[in-house]
Structure formats: C-alpha cells, structure tokens
C-alpha cells in the first residue's frame, strides 16, 4: 500500500471521527428543545438513508453500472451488522439524556477493553501483555475522565448503564463492519447497514413515542444529525479504514473523544476539569499502545 493511500486513509478516518464527535452535543441541544429520543433517532436515520440513497445513485451514474453490486448475502449480513449500529445510536442518545456528553463519550470509549475481551472469547486465547496494559490504562483514564475521584455530583445510574450498553453494541459494530462485504463500495455498505439500524430505531420509536410525533425535528435537527451521524462518518470511515488498516485507523478515530468533550465544553458549557483531560489523554494513549507494533519489522 502506498504512503499516499495511507495518508488519504488517515485524513478520511480523522474527518469521520471528528464529525461523529460533534454529534452528541447536537443531540443534547435537541433534547433541550423538548424533542424525544425516538424523534431524534428516527429523523436521523430517515434523512440519513435518503442521503445515502442519493450518493449511491450518483455513484451508479458515475461508474455507469460497472461497480460491484451487493449480493443478497451481502445485503443480509450488512443489515444484520447494522442492527448493532442502530442500537449504538439509541443507547448513546439515551445515555446523554441522563449524563453529561463528556462522560457519555468516555463510557463509549470502553470499546477498547470490551474489544479485547470479545477478541479473547472469539479467538479463545489470552490477550497480549500489551493489550492487558492498555486495558488497565483505559480503566485508570476512565476513573479520571469521569471525575469519580473528586466528583461533587452524583452520576445518574441510568446514563452509566446506557453508556456501557452503547459501548458494547459499538464494539460489535466495529468487529462486524470491518469484516462484512468489504468488496463492495462504502456507499452500498453504509446504505444496508443503515437499513438494518433503521429496523431497530423505528421499532424503538413505535414502542416508546406516546405523544404525537413532532415532525419539526426533521427540519430543525434531522438534517444536522443525519449528516454528522449517519452520512459523513460511516462513508468516510468505510473508505478510510481499508487504507489505514484497523490498528492505525483505531488510533486516528480516537480523535472523536477530545472533539466530543471540547464541543460539550464550548456549546453546552459542561465543566471539564484538568484531571478529566488527563484521563482522556490516558484513554487515547491506551488506544495507541494497543495498536502500535513496538517490536518493529526485522
């Protein structure tokens, strides 16, 4: 793989992670205007699917129908993988309903040790010392980043549980998305994963939306949420990860953490003390440790 392709992949993943890092702040702002989780997620996925459909149509015209088409097996597997994407959005948005965005994103980053645990179960072998060290650093970083030591407020247990569930479903998404139907275009992969996620989101909306659905969400926040949550990040990351590889891509995607906290600090006036920034830095360090080959090449 050429250096130019790797740099291109780094840029795409970084931009995708930065964009996704802004999302939770916009969700919190939508909540402050009285919109529900069902309205937020439904508008995001509906407009996201429409946007990805338009992108697919333009790509078909550009490629004159020569691109590899998804088989029925590809579609099924991608939609199945997409259900975890839908659950990640739901759980994460429910989490930030009860806890600050800066805490929610830290809980989402628990995918680091959850990924190590899942890998150990699937491959039936103990993780390397490098990964074990990274897990311990993540746990220390989490304690600092969530301000558990000097907290002068009590975190809502519902937010913590939803946040950890979001991390678990995001771990599943990461493991499946990078292994399923990689031979077809990122636009096609994003579309079918969104359709799978939409099944989960629409089912949740149907079951929980008691009052009349506020259609104003589509024009007020739906466009922003779909762009920053379901169109730009998946497209960029699906295009960037094959160029960077999982290791480098995971390191670059850690940008999502400081971006999310900074956005919450600026737009939501969330208090973030120095120790929390230290914890965030430790979590990013752990991601780097887990993905860098310290032995080098012979």
């Amino acid at each position: 793989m050429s250096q130019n392709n790797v740099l291109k992949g780094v840029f795409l993943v970084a931009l995708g992670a930065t964009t996704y890092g802004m999302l939770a702040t916009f969700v919190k702002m939508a909540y402050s205007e009285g919109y529900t989780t069902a309205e937020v997620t439904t508008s995001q996925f509906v407009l996201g699917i429409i946007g990805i459909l338009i992108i697919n149509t333009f790509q078909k015209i550009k490629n004159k129908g020569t691109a590899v088409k998804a088989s029925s097996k590809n579609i099924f597997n991608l939609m199945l993988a997409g259900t975890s994407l839908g659950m990640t959005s739901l759980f994460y948005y429910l989490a930030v309903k009860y806890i600050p965005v800066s805490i929610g994103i830290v809980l989402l980053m628990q995918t680091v040790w959850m990924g190590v645990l899942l890998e150990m179960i699937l491959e039936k072998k103990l993780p390397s010392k490098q990964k074990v060290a990274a897990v311990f650093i993540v746990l220390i970083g989490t304690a600092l980043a969530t301000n558990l030591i000097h907290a002068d407020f009590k975190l809502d247990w519902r937010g913590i549980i939803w946040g950890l569930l979001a991390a678990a479903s995001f771990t599943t998404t990461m493991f499946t998305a990078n292994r399923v139907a990689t031979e077809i275009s990122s636009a096609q992969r994003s579309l079918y994963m969104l359709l799978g996620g939409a099944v989960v989101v629409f089912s949740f909306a149907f079951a929980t939306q008691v009052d009349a659905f506020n259609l104003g969400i589509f024009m007020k926040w739906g466009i922003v949420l779909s762009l920053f949550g379901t169109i730009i990040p998946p497209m960029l990351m699906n295009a960037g990860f094959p160029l960077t590889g999982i290791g480098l891509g995971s390191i670059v995607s850690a940008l999502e953490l400081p971006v999310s906290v900074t956005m919450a600090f600026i737009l939501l006036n969330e208090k973030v003390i120095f120790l929390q920034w230290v914890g965030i830095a430790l979590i990013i360090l752990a991601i780097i440790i887990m993905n860098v080959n310290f032995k080098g090449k012979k």
Side-chain angles (χ1 to χ4, degrees):
M1 188 182 294
S2 71
Q3 188 67 24
N4 285 340
N5 280 340
V6 174
L7 288 173
K8 180 182 176 182
V10 167
F11 175 76
L12 291 172
V13 173
L15 191 57
T18 301
T19 306
Y20 193 71
M22 301 177 184
L23 185 62
T25 296
F26 296 138
V27 171
K28 198 88 169 179
M29 292 169 76
Y31 281 156
S32 69
E33 295 181 9
Y35 294 108
T36 65
T37 303
E39 290 165 347
V40 166
T41 51
T42 299
S43 65
Q44 178 183 323
F45 272 75
V46 167
L47 294 177
I49 289 169
I50 292 171
I52 295 294
L53 275 171
I54 293 170
I55 292 170
N56 272 280
T57 302
F58 275 110
Q59 285 194 352
K60 282 182 181 179
I61 295 171
K62 182 181 176 182
N63 298 325
K64 298 179 180 178
T66 58
V68 178
K69 293 182 180 180
S71 64
S72 55
K73 183 180 179 181
N74 288 151
I75 294 171
F76 176 79
N77 289 337
L78 284 168
M79 287 188 67
L80 189 62
T83 57
S84 63
L85 180 67
M87 285 188 282
T88 300
S89 294
L90 276 177
F91 296 154
Y92 188 34
Y93 294 175
L94 285 168
V96 298
K97 189 173 183 179
Y98 300 107
I99 56 177
V101 168
S102 55
I103 305 298
I105 188 64
V106 168
L107 292 176
L108 188 65
M109 287 294 112
Q110 302 310 297
T111 50
V112 176
W113 65 262
M114 289 183 181
V116 172
L117 181 63
L118 182 59
E119 188 178 53
M120 183 180 72
I121 294 170
L122 294 176
E123 297 186 3
K124 297 179 180 178
K125 66 177 183 180
L126 293 174
S128 65
K129 293 178 181 178
Q130 187 175 328
K131 289 183 178 179
V132 172
V135 167
F136 276 107
I137 293 172
V138 165
L139 294 176
I140 295 169
T142 300
L144 294 174
T146 53
N147 200 21
L148 290 178
I149 300 172
H150 299 100
D152 55 359
F153 59 91
K154 187 177 180 181
L155 290 175
D156 194 314
W157 63 269
R158 291 171 295 182
I160 295 173
I161 291 174
W162 287 125
L164 291 174
L165 284 173
S169 58
F170 190 45
T171 303
T172 305
T173 302
M174 289 178 68
F175 262 79
T176 55
N178 294 299
R179 289 166 171 78
V180 178
T182 54
E183 68 276 11
I184 65 175
S185 69
S186 59
Q188 288 186 79
R189 295 178 73 231
S190 297
L191 174 62
Y192 296 121
M193 287 187 72
L194 277 178
L195 288 172
V199 173
V200 174
V201 167
F202 296 163
S203 299
F204 172 83
F206 182 78
T208 62
Q209 187 70 18
V210 178
D211 299 323
F213 193 97
N214 189 345
L215 296 176
I217 185 70
F218 283 95
M219 292 304 296
K220 186 66 189 281
W221 289 106
I223 295 173
V224 174
L225 294 173
S226 62
L227 283 173
F228 283 76
T230 50
I231 297 177
I232 297 175
M235 286 286 293
L236 293 177
M237 289 188 172
N238 280 335
F241 263 96
L243 299 177
T244 62
I246 299 297
L248 180 58
S250 298
I251 294 170
V252 177
S253 65
L255 278 172
E256 176 188 334
L257 181 53
V259 168
S260 185
V261 175
T262 303
M263 286 289 289
F265 176 75
I266 295 171
L267 295 181
L268 301 175
N269 296 316
E270 288 190 3
K271 184 180 177 182
V272 185
I273 64 173
F274 176 72
L275 273 181
Q276 287 178 275
W277 285 112
V278 172
I280 290 165
L282 284 175
I283 293 172
I284 294 174
L285 175 63
I287 294 169
I288 294 172
I289 289 173
M290 197 170 69
N291 289 285
V292 168
N293 181 11
F294 290 101
K295 294 180 180 179
K297 296 181 180 178
K298 293 184 179 179

